[in-house]
Amino acid sequence: MEILQEEVAPAVLQQGFDPLGPTVRSTVVGSGRTVNFIDEGRPDWQPLLFLGGAGTTVRAFRLMEFARSFREQLRIRIISVERNGLGQTPFDPAVGFVEYGADVWSLLDSLDIGPVSVVAISGGGPYAAWFAAEWPERVRSLHLACAYAENGDAGAVPFNAEKIAEDPADWWRFPANSPVHRVPGFDDSVIEEATRGVFARGRDVSPQGLSQAFELCGNTPLPDLSRVDAPVFTYWGSADPAVPLAQLERWRAALPNVVKNRIYQHEGHDVQYRHWDQILADVAFLGARVVVSVSGKTLLAAPEHAADMLAAGGEVGLAAWSQTGPPPLR
């Protein structure tokens, strides 16, 4: 009697290794500087330049990859370049907003990438502003999620880099009622990212990159953004204590083509995670689709249909948000 191989030795479907988050790569750009970057997705997908929050490294994007399947369904390619003095990137006092932007564009040129959608969250906002102001013709769309704009008062942003370095995880910590705690592994990944941001090059390395970021944000007004005619989408929590709605008003006053303000009532400084799905949809469809979940299914609805679905009891975002534990306390 012939014995089939599958009966005694079932085939394993996995052919390669599964990724442990985005792979950090390095290259020398036109300035002669070495940049660390990630490039996640296929070359023919829609490129998205991701600018993370203050103090984050290029690996911080893995905190958004709870929606990786959705991102890949939308065929969105992620490029992110580590900022000066953070993570594995040495500090160079000569590198500011403009120099960083030039290095990013040099990298994009080497990757044969033309116009990009730009997503900035929290402390990535000022970098996005200078990036767009210097090269407006290369910005396909701009997406600002609870993104800091500029300091309206004299003096620096009231954060102390040395104090943060004493307990970097505390700088990242979200309130107990934040929906981010529903994402499996999110809290542990936050600790890893916080530690990487400050200590990736050694325990005794001074947090110069974080100090510079605070100084730049605190002392540099928004550049002239009048030439940025790409569509702009904003995402804000009405109760954000870190980047309040006043910052949104600064963006709206500076940018000529804000096409959609998505304000989430009673939400805080975690909008970029809770509504990352909508940000991805806006990158893919430029506002023509809204992510809505109905009866456990996630749908990409036209805005007018989404309004009806929500009125009938649907929820914004991936159905997973309502399937992974009780709702957060309000």
Side-chain angles (χ1 to χ4, degrees), residues 84-254:
N84 186 35
L86 299 174
Q88 294 171 277
T89 303
F91 178 71
D92 182 345
V95 176
F97 290 136
V98 174
E99 293 77 14
Y100 172 77
D103 285 349
V104 172
W105 280 126
S106 179
L107 172 68
L108 295 177
D109 286 341
S110 71
L111 297 174
D112 197 28
I113 293 175
V116 295
S117 289
V118 179
V119 172
I121 66 174
S122 196
Y127 294 87
W130 284 88
F131 187 79
E134 292 288 323
W135 298 273
E137 68 283 354
R138 298 189 62 174
V139 178
R140 171 182 173 266
S141 60
L142 179 60
H143 307 258
L144 304 167
C146 50
Y148 186 82
E150 61 184 355
N151 190 1
D153 303 314
V157 176
F159 297 118
N160 184 296
E162 295 289 346
K163 185 69 174 177
I164 291 171
E166 293 177 6
D167 185 4
D170 184 63
W171 161 249
W172 268 89
R173 200 158 286 128
F174 285 92
N177 66 345
S178 172
V180 300
H181 302 300
R182 295 175 172 179
V183 178
F186 187 92
D187 293 332
D188 293 319
S189 295
V190 158
I191 295 173
E192 293 164 8
E193 171 57 27
T195 304
R196 177 184 174 85
V198 180
F199 301 123
R201 289 177 293 115
R203 182 190 63 182
D204 299 323
V205 174
S206 175
Q208 292 172 298
L210 191 57
S211 295
Q212 185 205 46
F214 291 154
E215 291 169 4
L216 288 173
C217 292
N219 298 314
T220 310
L222 283 175
D224 179 7
L225 296 169
S226 61
R227 295 191 302 130
V228 182
D229 60 2
V232 178
F233 299 80
T234 68
Y235 315 82
W236 238 268
S238 66
D240 188 339
V243 185
L245 285 170
Q247 291 292 314
L248 169 59
E249 294 308 314
R250 295 185 184 278
W251 287 113
R252 293 179 63 181

